[in-house]
Amino acid sequence: MSKKIVVIGGVAGGASAAARVRRLDEQAEIVMFERGPFVSFSNCCLPFHLSETIENADDLVLMTPEQFKKQYNIIAKVQHEVIRIDKEAKAVFVRNVHTLEESTEFYDELVLSPGAKAIMPESIKGIESQHVFSVRNVPDIDQIKRYIDEKKVENVTVVGGGFIGLEVAENLQMAGKKVTLIEAANQVMTPFDHDMAQILHKEIMDHTVDLILEDRLVEIKADEVVLGSGKAIPTQAVVMAIGVVPETELAVASGLKLGKTGAIKVNHHYQTSDPNIYAVGDAIEVTHQQTGKVTQLTMAGPAQRQARAAADHIYGRTYRNHGVIGSSVVRVFGMNAACTGLNEKQCQEESLDYRTSYVIPKDKVGLMPGARPIFFKLIYAYPSGKILGAQCIGEGNVDKRVDVIATMIRFNGNLEDLKELELCYSPDYGTAKDAVNMAALVGLNVLNGEYKQVPVTEIRGLVESGAFIIDGREEGEYIEGHIKGAVNIPMSQFRERLNEIPKDRPVYVHCLSSQRSYNMVRALGMLGYKHVYNLMGSFLGLSMYEYFTDQVEAREPIVTNYRFDLL
Amino acid sequence: MSKKIVVIGGVAGGASAAARVRRLDEQAEIVMFERGPFVSFSNCCLPFHLSETIENADDLVLMTPEQFKKQYNIIAKVQHEVIRIDKEAKAVFVRNVHTLEESTEFYDELVLSPGAKAIMPESIKGIESQHVFSVRNVPDIDQIKRYIDEKKVENVTVVGGGFIGLEVAENLQMAGKKVTLIEAANQVMTPFDHDMAQILHKEIMDHTVDLILEDRLVEIKADEVVLGSGKAIPTQAVVMAIGVVPETELAVASGLKLGKTGAIKVNHHYQTSDPNIYAVGDAIEVTHQQTGKVTQLTMAGPAQRQARAAADHIYGRTYRNHGVIGSSVVRVFGMNAACTGLNEKQCQEESLDYRTSYVIPKDKVGLMPGARPIFFKLIYAYPSGKILGAQCIGEGNVDKRVDVIATMIRFNGNLEDLKELELCYSPDYGTAKDAVNMAALVGLNVLNGEYKQVPVTEIRGLVESGAFIIDGREEGEYIEGHIKGAVNIPMSQFRERLNEIPKDRPVYVHCLSSQRSYNMVRALGMLGYKHVYNLMGSFLGLSMYEYFTDQVEAREPIVTNYRFDLL
């Protein structure tokens, strides 16, 4: 007897589950219901239609129901909403959203992949207006694009600085719109720590997007939005991207259990509280590999793996479920920004003892044309050195560095392993000692107590308190821009100028990217200086961290002159 | 009492060792001798001067002896050759290559980093000519560039298809020269298997380099070179890049032991047979992590790690020496080519039972502009699924895929681990299921016996023997170019056309990149077809594999029409 599999939801999770079932069972009867007009579209590509990077909205649809039938012998019914599940009878009740006609479909196994929906807070006045949009599917993005084009909209407000918000803002800016990006927190992209997010803030601001942090949308009017601060921003269209909530109505109505986070609870094999009903994708809660806690993760990669695992389990296959670590990458104008594992905030929430390395090497050999700095932050456990996470931002290949760390996390790698990792090298692709190796070396010095350092977040305080700061760069570099009050003692001179360096108070050393200051810190330590610290990130890191806040707060910079042309 | 450390050789290994010693011991007296005129130059960047990608040869020198003194308090003596080591007295005898003046330097610990020299076989007539060059250091590359510019050389012959040979050929071609590349083996880049090398051969040929395989240089005349085949090639300059041999004269003369490979033998801590003498870099033999065998590896990354490890051991630090796996990447015109671990040839030499996956997905989501195929070959042990190696070639980010595999090899990862690896994804950087994940999925199907496949190397034989081959692409794709004799049964039709597919003989299925044929092979297997095989790489892989040989041998293609515009 062949099985009958019903799938609810026809995008990443649902379509993957259906296709995988077909590969496992050529005889299975597979029916997939999708409430919307399309199955198998590329959610992740939606924002790119706004800039016409993807010209036609139609291209976002990867497969039609006809193709599902022909290629996979899967019956895909769009604009069919499942309104009720009868777990005892193993039946779903379906309504054609056009004709309102209802029908019943029986199943042996049911896979739920209902996804998540945009949060549209009713507390915001005017949220129901015609010119307020969200980005969840092809009709959404098509509608925004048409509206903006037809109404010749010039000013768009994007609310929310996560993946979708940033991608929408960027693509609208590329389309020539004046974009305001509003984020309630003090940073965009919460998977990154605040220090790293400052690099993104600078990049966003440099591309003429008006970035407003720590403010909230209160009211949407016809031609402006009003913020909590009272600020009014002229705008003819609003895109809401403050987050999503799992679509759980059907699950709840059917008596399936939700988890702590409010998403559908599943076991190791993605079975819900009813063993014949599986759930995958944005609507479920998943377990974090490193913290062991449940969380929500709205990402395509994990959704596809979950779908495959569910299908496999239907056919009696075991699955080793390791949980998720949350690897991701996003383009923010000229910058690529990737991260994986735990960030500092998460480590603190978990009360983990951790340390960080912050290195800013070039992404390839400095001699090669186009070599650019990458800002790489590594987070590791103290004192074990176990790798916990990484964040990397730069114009070059940051994703490969973070993929390596993601792989290490999977295997519980530590700093010793990372230091020795033998990666692909030639001058156009990296450096013989890659950024990830360097970060490990710095980390080992920290673990071994051979190296003390001050995070970029604390440098302003030191400067303001008149700490003794040594700038180890050459005089010409110093003159063009330096930390106010820093004493210029180049690495090439410090051994002859030890008399200028006090032994009775802490000494803080930096250079451009910490390569020279690293050597100076080590040497001074051996020369009897007991309290020598490296300023993490040095002049590059400090500049990236401070610049944005200086601008938005019209604050006095702690340097005489920023020199971003040195990057 | 402060230690005195003498270092012989001032490039990658030597300079790294000296700098590391300084970081460990501010009081140490460090003297570094270099026979050539420069210390600390970038060997890896040398070829890029030929195309003026690196305009000035001077830029290749990263640090002068003066800088070593000022920044690191290291005495670097260039044009000083160490002519003898007295192990008992712990002294080296040094000759100034200009003045021929000799001096003695005592050491507590000695680090040898003499490097390797180009093989210049005396059996080749005319090898001593003025217009025959090798590429080992800055004067070498400066000399070639000057000679070519001053003599207005138009035709250059490069001998040897390894890293250096390819980079030299490419940079000369970029400089507008007519380049002939001669390789004695049947492929360039031996770290790659022959099937993958064919992709490089096509790329080289497409860029008007005259690539001659399986032929040897016999004689160099003033205006031509003569090959073993009798062929004569007009040429006004010859660059020899057939390989290097470790510089062991000094070690041998000093009674230090060599290993099986003829390179200097070292222990776990890079100590030679004399415990006060360390050796690092191209002159030593290293142990392969996977085979446990000694080998030579002339690469900057490992050299730097060895240097650090040697310095660390001098100061009593332990080191976990894992051996090498040989990760590398090279640009071949428009293609990036990276590999790590064992290739098929090495697996065969080691009598390992292995299988391969060959997948050709896009490097990013297909909808995104600039999405291009990557040719990814994964090698894993049978039946354990342990990852053994990978080779990846494409226009996009191949190095990140291979770095992930390099990391997995370090941790003895297997296909199950790789399938689940959670890597950075967004549409511009990869696919939700990345190439490496896909290769693992294919591999698991192979291990589970759910999938049989024929390597690209055997497809011609099948075609010529009249095997039953199904082309699962749509009719329009088939018409524009297909395997001769293949039957076009698109994936969208095969279930209705089963009567055309014989059950009593083997059936071979392909499509464009094996995505569709994968589904068809699975389905046919479940429909009672006992001998269904996927043609690995499908039409893309087959075309890449066959095209080059067709051209050079003026051989009848096994396809009606190559369609590289489909890539």
Side-chain angles (χ1 to χ4, degrees), chain A residues 207-247:
Chain A
H207 285 82
T208 72
V209 168
D210 190 14
L211 175 61
I212 299 176
L213 298 176
E214 300 182 86
D215 211 341
R216 289 171 177 282
L217 190 61
V218 171
E219 185 176 358
I220 302 168
K221 298 183 181 174
D223 54 0
E224 66 176 24
V225 292
V226 183
L227 307 186
S229 61
K231 205 179 281 182
I233 295 154
T235 198
Q236 298 93 46
V238 177
V239 181
M240 295 297 296
I242 59 176
V244 295
V245 282
E247 293 264 16

Side-chain angles (χ1 to χ4, degrees), chain A residues 397-567:
Chain A
N397 196 340
V398 305
D399 38 330
K400 83 169 170 180
R401 275 81 189 195
V402 173
D403 277 353
V404 165
I405 303 300
T407 308
M408 296 213 66
I409 290 173
R410 171 64 194 81
F411 290 100
N412 289 313
N414 67 22
L415 292 173
E416 280 287 348
D417 300 311
L418 185 57
K419 144 187 171 242
E420 290 296 315
L421 220 49
E422 188 185 336
L423 303 171
C424 297
Y425 159 68
S426 79
D428 230 5
Y429 301 85
T431 45
K433 204 184 285 157
D434 190 77
V436 298
N437 305 126
M438 284 181 211
L441 292 171
V442 171
L444 286 168
N445 283 325
V446 170
L447 293 194
N448 293 335
E450 293 173 335
Y451 194 63
K452 287 183 288 194
Q453 52 184 11
V454 175
V456 76
T457 49
E458 293 174 19
I459 298 177
R460 175 171 280 268
L462 287 180
V463 173
E464 289 175 348
S465 69
F468 193 85
I469 296 175
I470 297 176
D471 185 335
R473 297 175 301 158
E474 294 300 311
E475 201 185 349
E477 298 173 83
Y478 178 84
I479 288 169
E480 296 192 332
H482 58 261
I483 294 178
K484 289 174 184 170
V487 182
N488 184 213
I489 304 179
M491 183 184 170
S492 59
Q493 299 175 12
F494 80 98
R495 288 184 180 87
E496 290 108 63
R497 292 173 60 182
L498 293 176
N499 61 327
E500 299 174 41
I501 306 173
K503 275 201 169 154
D504 56 351
R505 57 186 289 207
V507 170
Y508 303 90
V509 190
H510 78 89
C511 58
L512 183 66
S513 71
S514 285
Q515 221 177 344
R516 285 169 281 183
S517 57
Y518 166 60
N519 285 282
M520 290 173 72
V521 167
R522 292 299 309 267
L524 290 171
M526 289 185 275
L527 289 166
Y529 290 80
K530 293 250 163 62
H531 305 288
V532 192
Y533 297 84
N534 185 56
L535 296 187
M536 289 169 86
S538 278
F539 197 68
L540 287 182
L542 162 80
S543 300
M544 276 296 187
Y545 179 67
E546 288 282 324
Y547 181 76
F548 173 75
T549 315
D550 287 355
Q551 301 298 307
V552 292
E553 297 188 0
R555 190 174 72 174
E556 188 65 27
I558 57 172
V559 302
T560 61
N561 185 23
Y562 287 111
R563 289 295 311 279
F564 292 111
D565 54 329
L566 298 176
L567 291 189

Side-chain angles (χ1 to χ4, degrees), chain A residues 215-482:
Chain A
D215 211 341
R216 289 171 177 282
L217 190 61
V218 171
E219 185 176 358
I220 302 168
K221 298 183 181 174
D223 54 0
E224 66 176 24
V225 292
V226 183
L227 307 186
S229 61
K231 205 179 281 182
I233 295 154
T235 198
Q236 298 93 46
V238 177
V239 181
M240 295 297 296
I242 59 176
V244 295
V245 282
E247 293 264 16
T248 55
E249 290 81 352
L250 182 65
V252 169
S254 310
L256 299 177
K257 282 193 188 137
L258 300 188
K260 284 180 197 167
T261 69
I264 300 171
K265 191 175 171 61
V266 292
N267 70 7
H268 183 81
H269 296 293
Y270 302 102
Q271 286 169 297
T272 64
S273 51
D274 180 319
N276 296 114
I277 305 180
Y278 294 78
V280 301
D282 294 357
I284 68 168
E285 67 182 25
V286 291
T287 304
H288 197 285
Q289 181 194 313
Q290 297 169 282
T291 66
K293 290 190 178 156
V294 287
T295 182
Q296 291 177 30
L297 191 75
T298 55
M299 287 188 167
Q304 285 193 7
R305 277 192 291 281
Q306 292 154 14
R308 184 184 171 94
D312 280 4
H313 190 255
I314 290 173
Y315 287 90
R317 296 177 178 224
T318 55
Y319 174 65
R320 290 195 299 162
N321 189 334
H322 296 290
V324 298
I325 57 172
S327 307
S328 68
V329 59
V330 66
R331 193 182 68 208
V332 181
F333 297 101
M335 288 287 185
N336 306 307
C339 64
T340 189
L342 302 179
N343 60 26
E344 285 199 66
K345 282 168 296 193
Q346 290 169 303
C347 289
Q348 287 157 14
E349 280 164 22
E350 298 295 317
S351 303
L352 294 177
D353 198 359
Y354 71 91
R355 299 289 186 277
T356 67
S357 296
Y358 184 31
V359 296
I360 312 180
K362 293 278 172 70
D363 61 343
K364 49 175 90 173
V365 170
L367 286 177
M368 297 301 289
R372 305 293 291 136
I374 51 176
F375 297 81
F376 183 76
K377 178 174 175 176
L378 181 72
I379 298 162
Y380 41 90
Y382 184 90
S384 73
K386 180 172 153 181
I387 308 292
L388 299 176
Q391 299 162 46
C392 189
I393 302 178
E395 293 164 58
N397 196 340
V398 305
D399 38 330
K400 83 169 170 180
R401 275 81 189 195
V402 173
D403 277 353
V404 165
I405 303 300
T407 308
M408 296 213 66
I409 290 173
R410 171 64 194 81
F411 290 100
N412 289 313
N414 67 22
L415 292 173
E416 280 287 348
D417 300 311
L418 185 57
K419 144 187 171 242
E420 290 296 315
L421 220 49
E422 188 185 336
L423 303 171
C424 297
Y425 159 68
S426 79
D428 230 5
Y429 301 85
T431 45
K433 204 184 285 157
D434 190 77
V436 298
N437 305 126
M438 284 181 211
L441 292 171
V442 171
L444 286 168
N445 283 325
V446 170
L447 293 194
N448 293 335
E450 293 173 335
Y451 194 63
K452 287 183 288 194
Q453 52 184 11
V454 175
V456 76
T457 49
E458 293 174 19
I459 298 177
R460 175 171 280 268
L462 287 180
V463 173
E464 289 175 348
S465 69
F468 193 85
I469 296 175
I470 297 176
D471 185 335
R473 297 175 301 158
E474 294 300 311
E475 201 185 349
E477 298 173 83
Y478 178 84
I479 288 169
E480 296 192 332
H482 58 261

Side-chain angles (χ1 to χ4, degrees), chain B residues 178-463:
Chain B
K178 179 74 197 99
V179 180
T180 302
L181 180 63
I182 297 166
E183 167 59 52
N186 69 344
Q187 67 166 85
V188 300
M189 289 298 295
T190 46
F192 290 81
D193 285 314
H194 184 256
D195 51 356
M196 299 299 286
Q198 290 291 79
I199 303 171
L200 301 178
H201 295 162
K202 175 179 182 300
E203 186 70 10
I204 292 166
M205 192 173 61
D206 284 354
H207 285 82
T208 71
V209 168
D210 190 14
L211 175 61
I212 298 176
L213 298 176
E214 299 182 87
D215 211 340
R216 290 171 178 280
L217 189 61
V218 171
E219 186 176 357
I220 301 167
K221 299 184 179 172
D223 54 0
E224 65 176 24
V225 293
V226 182
L227 307 186
S229 61
K231 207 179 280 183
I233 296 154
T235 201
Q236 297 93 46
V238 177
V239 180
M240 295 295 297
I242 58 176
V244 295
V245 282
E247 293 263 18
T248 55
E249 289 82 352
L250 182 65
V252 170
S254 309
L256 299 177
K257 281 194 188 137
L258 301 188
K260 284 181 198 167
T261 68
I264 300 172
K265 191 175 172 61
V266 292
N267 71 6
H268 182 81
H269 296 293
Y270 302 102
Q271 286 170 297
T272 65
S273 50
D274 180 320
N276 296 113
I277 305 179
Y278 293 78
V280 300
D282 295 357
I284 67 167
E285 67 183 22
V286 290
T287 304
H288 197 284
Q289 181 194 313
Q290 297 169 283
T291 65
K293 290 190 178 156
V294 288
T295 182
Q296 291 177 30
L297 191 73
T298 55
M299 287 188 169
Q304 286 193 7
R305 277 192 291 282
Q306 292 154 15
R308 185 183 171 94
D312 280 4
H313 190 256
I314 290 173
Y315 287 90
R317 296 178 177 222
T318 53
Y319 174 65
R320 290 195 300 161
N321 189 334
H322 297 289
V324 298
I325 58 173
S327 307
S328 67
V329 58
V330 66
R331 194 182 69 207
V332 181
F333 297 101
M335 288 287 184
N336 306 306
C339 65
T340 189
L342 303 179
N343 59 26
E344 284 199 67
K345 281 169 295 193
Q346 290 169 302
C347 289
Q348 286 157 13
E349 281 164 23
E350 297 296 318
S351 303
L352 294 176
D353 198 358
Y354 71 92
R355 299 289 186 277
T356 67
S357 296
Y358 184 32
V359 296
I360 312 179
K362 293 277 171 72
D363 60 343
K364 49 174 90 174
V365 170
L367 286 177
M368 298 300 290
R372 306 290 293 135
I374 52 176
F375 297 80
F376 183 76
K377 178 175 175 175
L378 181 71
I379 298 162
Y380 41 90
Y382 186 90
S384 72
K386 180 172 154 181
I387 308 293
L388 299 176
Q391 299 161 44
C392 189
I393 301 177
E395 293 164 58
N397 196 339
V398 304
D399 36 332
K400 82 169 171 179
R401 275 81 188 194
V402 173
D403 277 353
V404 165
I405 303 300
T407 308
M408 295 212 69
I409 290 173
R410 171 64 194 80
F411 290 100
N412 288 312
N414 67 22
L415 292 174
E416 279 287 348
D417 300 311
L418 184 57
K419 144 188 171 240
E420 290 297 315
L421 220 50
E422 189 185 334
L423 303 171
C424 296
Y425 159 67
S426 77
D428 231 5
Y429 301 85
T431 46
K433 204 184 283 156
D434 191 77
V436 298
N437 305 125
M438 284 182 211
L441 292 171
V442 171
L444 286 168
N445 283 324
V446 170
L447 293 193
N448 293 335
E450 293 173 336
Y451 194 63
K452 288 183 285 193
Q453 52 184 10
V454 175
V456 76
T457 48
E458 292 175 18
I459 299 178
R460 174 171 282 267
L462 288 180
V463 173

